[in-house]
């Protein structure tokens, strides 16, 4: 049975892998891999250059040894001609050692040359793979970018994306707010129509009675206009139409005229009463002022 530490480590690894999957961008991963291949190719090329330089140094050493061997052979011949066999033997010994060293250099040169050929072939293959990977990388990146754009467009159209989801919620909240304001406005209109609320924009002193009187006056104006139109129609229809509608029209007009006269008389009475009150107010105020200034002995008298 796994221990708690193992379970915690496993859970952490799962969470870390999921977080890395969300944060990882395949395009960046491809670019990084391509950069790694370029660095590897550069290392191979540097190694090839080092091997070629070593091979060149071996060739130079071999050339010097061959020249030295020829020189020692000539010196041995000269010493032998001079009767110095010992010097001739020493020169030949050195020539033999130079020949041995030259053989070793030939073997080392062959090894370096073979290694150089392998590195050259490896560099060529790696260069071909790098070029192929670069082409594939650009193709995959283009396909990934197109797929990502298509996914975002689809999410925007269907409203699954976070941005469009927020937009949809905003629209829904605006719609709800609009409906609330419309309902509130309709309720206020109903309250004003029933008289539960008063219109603050109306002039001061305009009470319910005045509103009813205005409504009666407006209705009388409508009736008057309607009666006038009936009279015109009856006049255009001939004497019979005039006789049939004249009595009713006269009664309607008389009633309307009487209502207007009563209304005008009431309005005039209120205006006269108000004007008399305003005119008498200064006199009453002056009398009250004189009474307040009169000495107490005069009041007693």
């Amino acid at each position: 049975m796994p221990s708690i530490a193992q379970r915690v480590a496993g859970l952490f690894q799962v969470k870390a892998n999921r977080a890395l999957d969300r944060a990882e961008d395949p395009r960046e991963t491809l670019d990084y891999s391509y950069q790694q291949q370029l660095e590897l190719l550069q290392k191979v090329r540097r190694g090839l250059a080092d091997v070629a330089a070593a091979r060149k140094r071996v060739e130079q050493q071999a050339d010097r040894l061959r020249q030295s061997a020829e020189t020692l052979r000539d010196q041995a011949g000269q010493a032998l001609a001079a009767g110095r066999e010992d010097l001739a033997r020493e020169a030949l010994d050195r020539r033999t050692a130079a020949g041995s060293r030259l053989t070793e250099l030939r073997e080392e040169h062959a090894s370096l040359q073979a290694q150089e050929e392998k590195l050259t072939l490896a560099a060529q293959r790696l260069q071909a793979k790098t070029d192929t990977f670069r082409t594939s990388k650009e193709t995959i990146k283009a396909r990934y970018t197109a797929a990502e754009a298509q996914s975002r467009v689809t999410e925007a159209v269907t409203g699954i994306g976070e941005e469009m989801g927020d937009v949809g919620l905003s629209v829904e909240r605006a719609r709800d707010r609009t409906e609330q304001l419309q309902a509130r406005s309709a309720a206020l209109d109903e309250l004003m129509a029933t008289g539960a609320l008063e219109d603050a924009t109306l002039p001061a002193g305009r009470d319910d009675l005045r509103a009813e009187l205005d409504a009666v006056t407006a209705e009388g104006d409508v009736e008057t206009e309607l009666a006038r139109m009936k009279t015109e129609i009856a006049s255009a229809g001939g004497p019979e139409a005039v006789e049939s509608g004249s009595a009713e029209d006269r009664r309607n007009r008389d009633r309307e005229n009487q209502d207007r006269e009563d209304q005008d008389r009431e309005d005039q009475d209120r205006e006269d009463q108000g004007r008399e009150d305003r005119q008498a107010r200064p006199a009453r105020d002056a009398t009250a002022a004189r009474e307040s200034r009169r000495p107490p002995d005069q009041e007693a008298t």
Side-chain angles (χ1 to χ4, degrees):
M1 184 174 181
S3 63
I4 296 179
Q6 292 177 346
R7 294 179 61 187
V8 171
L11 180 60
F12 177 78
Q13 186 175 3
V14 170
K15 296 294 184 180
N17 289 333
R18 184 176 299 177
L20 290 175
D21 289 338
R22 287 196 300 266
E24 183 181 9
D25 189 347
R27 293 166 295 188
E28 296 178 354
T29 304
L30 290 173
D31 290 337
Y32 179 75
S33 299
Y34 178 68
Q35 187 65 31
Q36 292 294 107
Q37 291 186 2
L38 290 179
E39 292 178 359
L40 180 60
L41 179 60
Q42 189 66 23
K43 290 180 180 179
V44 172
R45 288 175 175 174
R46 283 197 297 267
L48 178 60
D50 294 339
V51 171
R55 177 184 57 80
K56 193 66 176 176
R57 287 194 299 270
V58 169
E59 290 177 355
Q60 292 174 355
Q61 291 177 4
D63 292 339
R64 287 195 298 269
L65 284 175
R66 279 192 296 269
Q67 293 175 1
S68 177
E70 293 176 357
T71 302
L72 290 171
R73 182 176 180 279
D74 294 340
Q75 289 176 353
Q78 292 175 0
L80 186 61
R84 297 293 303 274
E85 186 177 350
D86 55 342
L87 292 178
R89 187 178 289 108
E90 181 69 21
L92 292 176
D93 290 339
R94 291 182 181 182
R95 183 175 180 275
T96 302
S100 300
R101 178 59 181 163
L102 184 59
T103 303
E104 294 177 359
L105 289 177
R106 288 194 186 100
E107 295 176 356
E108 187 175 355
H109 180 270
S111 175
L112 290 173
Q113 190 171 6
Q115 188 176 358
E116 182 179 357
E117 291 176 356
K118 291 181 180 179
L119 288 176
T120 302
L121 183 60
Q124 292 175 353
R125 292 178 178 176
L126 185 57
Q127 179 67 51
K129 290 182 179 180
T130 303
D131 295 339
T132 303
F133 180 79
R134 180 174 61 84
T135 304
S136 302
K137 172 180 72 73
E138 296 300 330
T139 304
I140 295 174
K141 286 174 61 178
R143 292 175 57 186
Y144 180 83
T145 302
E148 185 180 24
Q150 182 65 31
S151 175
R152 290 181 178 178
V153 169
T154 305
E155 289 179 357
V157 171
T158 56
I160 338 178
E162 296 180 359
E163 295 82 0
M164 293 305 297
D166 295 340
V167 171
L169 292 177
S170 300
V171 172
E172 188 65 26
R173 287 195 297 270
R175 184 181 294 112
D176 294 340
R177 182 60 177 170
T178 302
E179 293 177 355
Q180 292 177 0
L181 293 176
Q182 290 177 349
R184 180 180 177 83
S185 177
L188 292 175
D189 292 339
E190 292 180 0
L191 292 175
M192 291 179 63
T194 56
L197 294 178
E198 295 182 357
D199 190 354
T201 61
L202 295 176
R206 184 180 178 90
D207 53 3
D208 295 340
L209 179 60
R210 186 61 183 176
E212 293 179 2
L213 292 176
D214 292 341
V216 171
T217 302
E219 184 179 357
D221 294 339
V222 172
E223 295 295 335
T224 302
E225 182 65 19
L226 183 61
R228 185 183 63 78
M229 293 176 65
K230 288 181 180 179
T231 303
E232 293 177 355
I233 294 173
S235 299
E240 294 180 358
V242 173
E243 291 178 359
S244 60
S246 59
E248 183 66 24
D249 293 339
R250 282 196 300 272
R251 285 194 297 270
N252 291 333
R253 286 197 297 273
D254 293 340
R255 184 168 56 254
E256 293 169 0
N257 293 332
Q258 183 64 36
D259 292 339
R260 283 198 300 273
E261 290 177 359
D262 294 340
Q263 181 64 38
D264 293 341
R265 188 178 300 106
E266 292 178 0
D267 294 341
Q268 186 64 35
D269 291 340
R270 283 196 295 271
E271 293 178 0
D272 293 342
Q273 183 64 35
R275 186 166 50 254
E276 291 176 358
D277 292 340
R278 288 192 298 272
Q279 292 176 355
R281 183 176 301 167
R284 290 197 301 269
D285 294 342
T287 303
R290 288 195 299 272
E291 291 294 335
S292 62
R293 291 194 299 268
R294 182 177 298 175
D297 52 353
Q298 292 182 2
E299 292 178 0
T301 303

